[in-house]
Amino acid sequence: MNQMQTASTGLSRRGALASVLAATVAAMPVMACATTTNEDSAALALCAAFWRVHGRIRAMDTDPELPYGSPEQKRFEAELAKLCWQEADILSQLANTPAHTTAGQQGKAAILRAILPTAFADFDLGIECEEIRLVLSLLDDLAGGLAA
């Protein structure tokens, strides 16, 4: 993952995205991800894993800034990068996991609703990125797997 710094705040782009999403995600119902069904247990487990990792990223974003270049700051950035990679991996797995039930589809939709609004502005999103792959996966789920 490319950890670029913004000129004005020194936050990573992922960190800036996490702070903007904090209020949105706090208001999102996550019950669809917490309840499991046999048919969508894999998708719902991935939803729950996403929210755990995403919550840890958001929590780290509220930590006080550490002196740039300090050992603590380097450990912090390494942990944040690890969590961001985990989040991207979960999104990739979720994009490859069909959701057949309303609960599974709502789980994917809640994640997309939380991450997409600022992702388009903050990142160069293309068809190959995990966020867009997840959108296409959800659309496939809603269309019953029919390709256009």
Side-chain angles (χ1 to χ4, degrees):
M1 177 169 292
N2 189 2
Q3 290 290 322
M4 297 185 66
Q5 299 288 326
T6 61
S8 60
T9 65
L11 291 175
S12 67
R13 293 189 317 171
R14 187 67 78 163
L17 175 62
S19 65
V20 170
L21 293 174
T24 303
V25 174
M28 295 299 298
V30 295
M31 293 307 294
C33 291
T35 308
T36 60
T37 64
N38 288 336
E39 195 170 2
D40 273 347
S41 60
L44 293 171
L46 287 167
C47 287
F50 170 84
W51 290 116
R52 280 191 302 275
V53 171
H54 191 71
R56 289 176 59 201
I57 292 170
R58 285 189 0 237
M60 289 181 75
D61 191 44
T62 64
D63 288 348
E65 288 193 36
L66 298 167
Y68 182 77
S70 69
E72 296 83 9
Q73 190 263 343
K74 289 178 182 180
R75 282 192 295 276
F76 178 89
E77 288 295 326
E79 177 65 18
L80 183 59
K82 178 182 164 190
L83 289 170
C84 289
W85 280 109
Q86 287 176 354
E87 185 179 80
D89 183 55
I90 292 167
L91 288 175
S92 178
Q93 291 177 56
L94 192 55
N96 291 323
T97 305
H100 303 286
T101 66
T102 300
Q105 292 164 0
Q106 287 176 342
K108 283 184 173 184
I111 290 170
L112 289 169
R113 181 65 182 100
I115 64 176
L116 278 183
T118 55
F120 280 109
D122 293 343
F123 302 104
D124 183 23
L125 297 183
I127 195 73
E128 72 287 346
C129 73
E130 300 310 330
E131 293 86 353
I132 299 304
R133 288 187 58 241
L134 185 55
V135 169
L136 295 174
S137 174
L138 178 60
L139 293 174
D140 286 344
D141 297 340
L142 295 173
L146 301 174

